[in-house]
């Protein structure tokens, strides 16, 4: 954002030595990868939040982690709008629930509703007010300087993956909420036209009595092909 608009840098970026992320001397890639998996597999999408506050500093580290993601031509085509204002959270909840009522009563196909039924979701979204923070992720259809962006959905999708794992690493929970259509988010949050809503993630501590559906992931041999 600080550099003036320049279509192509006249000279290549200088290269500097890679700073590797090295494991401890007695650690192994197998053990490290497994530990990471064991941590990530504890992550669950959670719809029930405690009102316990989360500091702004925590959210800032989480957003730094997300914004460290790779992106097409390093354009970093994302904005993370972090909402703690109860009044704005209420506006978002009211508008999201209006869309969701349309979705559940009219827009969703019977097959979609049948796929959602076992998860027990409905148009009520109390978590949009109980969670101490809502992170609304916008994708940038153009750079802030008006320049092109590349692989927009891939880039922002990767950043959202980083965001979700950073939330988990901080001992917090979230869920990916995708009210559809979500144009209202740009209006409520007063965002410029080139910022398009992508995902909405409530962030906080789980409620003490939070439950999650008893679902599992496909076994490795169903998701992995080795040749
Ligand atoms: N956006 C709706 C519906 C919904 C869709 C899918 I796909 C889910 O996995 C869960 C919900 C809602 O948030 O309720």
């Amino acid at each position: 954002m600080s550099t003036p608009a320049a279509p192509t840098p006249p000279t290549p970026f200088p290269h500097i030595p890679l700073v590797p992320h090295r494991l401890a001397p007695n650690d192994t890639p197998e053990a490290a990868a497994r530990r990471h998996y064991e941590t990530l597999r504890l992550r669950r999408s959670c719809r029930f939040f405690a009102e316990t506050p989360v500091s702004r500093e925590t959210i800032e580290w989480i957003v730094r982690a997300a914004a460290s993601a790779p992106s097409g031509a390093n354009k970093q085509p994302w904005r993370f709008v972090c909402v703690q204002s109860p009044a704005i959270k209420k506006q978002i909840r009211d508008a999201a629930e209006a869309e969701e009522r349309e979705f559940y009563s009219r827009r969703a196909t019977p097959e979609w509703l049948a796929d959602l039924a076992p998860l027990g979701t409905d148009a009520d979204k109390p978590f949009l007010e109980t969670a101490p923070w809502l992170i609304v992720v916008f994708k940038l259809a153009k750079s802030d300087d008006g320049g092109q962006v590349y692989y927009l959905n891939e880039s922002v999708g990767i950043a959202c993956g980083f965001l979700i794992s950073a939330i988990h690493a901080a001992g917090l929970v979230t869920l990916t909420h995708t009210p559809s259509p979500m144009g209202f988010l740009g209006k409520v949050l007063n965002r410029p036209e080139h910022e398009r809503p992508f995902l909405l993630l409530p962030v906080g501590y789980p409620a003490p009595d939070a439950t999650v559906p008893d679902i599992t992931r496909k076994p490795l041999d169903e998701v992995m092909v080795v040749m």
Side-chain angles (χ1 to χ4, degrees), residues 185-197:
L185 288 166
K187 294 192 191 81
V188 170
L189 300 172
N190 220 350
R191 303 313 304 166
E193 197 278 330
H194 71 293
E195 294 187 15
R196 311 283 162 79

Side-chain angles (χ1 to χ4, degrees), residues 41-152:
R41 82 188 189 106
L42 293 176
R43 189 211 59 80
R44 295 297 309 266
S45 293
C46 176
R47 293 167 196 282
F48 308 101
F49 290 82
E51 283 174 28
T52 317
V54 171
S55 71
R56 172 175 170 155
E57 184 186 351
T58 308
I59 299 297
E60 287 177 353
W61 285 118
I62 286 168
V63 171
R64 280 191 187 95
S68 77
S71 61
N74 192 34
K75 295 290 180 176
Q76 306 167 60
W78 41 61
R79 189 94 62 222
F80 302 92
V81 179
C82 303
V83 180
Q84 56 175 339
S85 151
I88 302 174
K89 286 195 292 180
K90 180 172 182 354
Q91 281 184 54
I92 291 176
R93 177 182 179 181
D94 289 346
E97 287 183 336
E99 296 294 6
E100 294 298 326
R101 279 193 293 273
E102 269 296 301
F103 172 81
Y104 283 95
S105 61
R106 268 181 281 278
R107 267 200 296 269
T109 60
E111 187 180 6
W112 197 343
L113 288 177
D115 276 338
L116 290 180
L119 296 171
T121 60
D122 59 28
D124 272 359
K125 304 297 173 195
F127 53 75
L128 294 176
E129 283 190 273
T130 42
W133 291 90
L134 304 180
I135 302 184
V136 187
V137 184
F138 287 83
K139 61 180 183 185
L140 272 53
K142 291 264 180 229
S143 285
D144 288 316
D145 64 9
Q148 263 308 318
V149 296
Y150 309 97
Y151 297 102
L152 182 52

Side-chain angles (χ1 to χ4, degrees), residues 20-33 35:
H21 166 61
R22 276 193 223 288
L23 301 182
N26 286 326
D27 205 355
T28 64
E30 292 81 359
R35 282 196 312 273

